[in-house]
Amino acid sequence: DSGVTQTPKHLITATGQRVTLRCSPRSGDLSVYWYQQSLDQGLQFLIQYYNGEERAKGNILERFSAQQFPDLHSELNLSSLELGDSALYFCASSVGGQETQYFGPGTRLLVL
Amino acid sequence: QKEVEQDPGPLSVPEGAIVSLNCTYSNSAFQYFMWYRQYSRKGPELLMYTYSSGNKEDGRFTAQVDKSSKYISLFIRDSQPSDSATYLCAMSLNAGNMLTFGGGTRLMVKP
């Protein structure tokens, strides 16, 4: 158990809908990272927050957004969902300025 | 061409074998190198990390980085069926930066 928690574990929804994925980092970690894992693209970085502020952005779609709250948990919002958004979404956390990122168990999203 | 290349496998070995997993990369600015293990439908689990070139050993695992060749390796000694998983290499430019992953190598260790 990495100490990173993610909810929900599974999510099934329809095209055009909006969902919110939640992540709680390890105790003491200030950085939260979101990654998407799909069969064709592998694990890809989406976005990073550090102590409530956006730190870095990857190939995140405009339909996707995230935020980190004062208690350091983070939410990833996915809107206008398409079939191709079906994937595993992972959250990772690190102390901040450290190279070791610890991953949560992921949320499996299925868009029908 | 992807920034980090990894043979997808599957790699099938008998129990007790020495396993060699490899990644090549194109960006010479990468400084931090990691290996993660991912069991089916689970999150990646950090196994090893190294900074710059050199070797690092932890139990049955040895990580090697050759920056001059842009090549990293993970060796698993005395492989066990419980080592059967997908192994992902990852790297970053600086500490705390985003990770760039290889596609993963699926390893099967047969009893």
Side-chain angles (χ1 to χ4, degrees):
Chain A
D1 185 356
S2 67
V4 179
T5 60
Q6 289 187 248
T7 56
K9 287 186 180 179
H10 304 279
L11 205 46
I12 302 175
T13 188
T15 55
Q17 295 298 306
R18 172 189 168 95
V19 296
T20 297
L21 282 52
R22 182 188 169 103
C23 167
S24 292
R26 296 185 319 156
S27 177
D29 284 1
L30 299 177
S31 267
V32 168
Y33 311 76
W34 286 97
Y35 292 83
Q36 178 194 59
Q37 186 175 38
S38 60
L39 282 174
D40 56 341
Q41 294 291 327
L43 255 171
Q44 293 214 313
F45 168 74
L46 295 177
I47 197 164
Q48 177 196 0
Y49 278 81
Y50 175 79
N51 203 20
E53 299 288 326
E54 184 183 301
R55 174 67 66 92
K57 244 180 179 177
N59 294 326
I60 186 167
L61 299 171
E62 284 192 13
R63 301 183 285 108
F64 295 2
S65 64
Q67 54 183 336
Q68 187 179 25
F69 294 85
D71 66 352
L72 301 177
H73 91 271
S74 178
E75 292 181 356
L76 180 66
N77 300 295
L78 315 176
S79 61
S80 303
L81 285 167
E82 302 175 359
L83 296 177
D85 297 327
S86 296
L88 268 167
Y89 291 84
F90 289 106
C91 164
S93 73
S94 72
V95 174
Q98 300 295 321
E99 68 276 17
T100 47
Q101 294 181 27
Y102 295 90
F103 281 74
T107 294
R108 184 173 294 272
L109 173 67
L110 181 58
V111 183
L112 299 175
Chain B
Q1 187 181 358
K2 290 187 176 181
E3 216 170 353
V4 181
E5 298 278 0
Q6 195 174 358
D7 187 330
L11 176 62
S12 181
V13 301
E15 183 176 354
I18 296 175
V19 175
S20 171
L21 302 165
N22 311 294
C23 285
T24 59
Y25 61 95
S26 56
N27 188 347
S28 57
F30 284 132
Q31 297 190 81
Y32 293 88
F33 304 89
M34 287 127 249
W35 286 94
Y36 284 85
R37 176 174 63 194
Q38 186 175 25
Y39 292 111
S40 181
R41 297 175 174 266
K42 302 289 186 184
E45 172 194 4
L46 179 66
L47 285 177
M48 302 283 286
Y49 73 87
T50 51
Y51 169 69
S52 194
S53 284
N55 295 357
K56 187 172 184 177
E57 187 173 321
D58 184 1
R60 296 185 296 114
F61 299 94
T62 299
Q64 288 185 351
V65 175
D66 182 350
K67 288 192 70 178
S68 63
S69 301
K70 299 197 200 70
Y71 188 87
I72 70 171
S73 301
L74 177 71
F75 297 94
I76 307 174
R77 290 181 296 281
D78 188 25
S79 56
Q80 302 295 311
S82 58
D83 294 327
S84 299
T86 296
Y87 288 79
L88 299 153
C89 63
M91 40 202 83
S92 66
L93 299 175
N94 293 298
N97 281 174
M98 56 168 275
L99 297 179
T100 301
F101 282 88
T105 298
R106 186 171 157 226
L107 171 66
M108 295 188 296
V109 181
K110 298 191 173 180

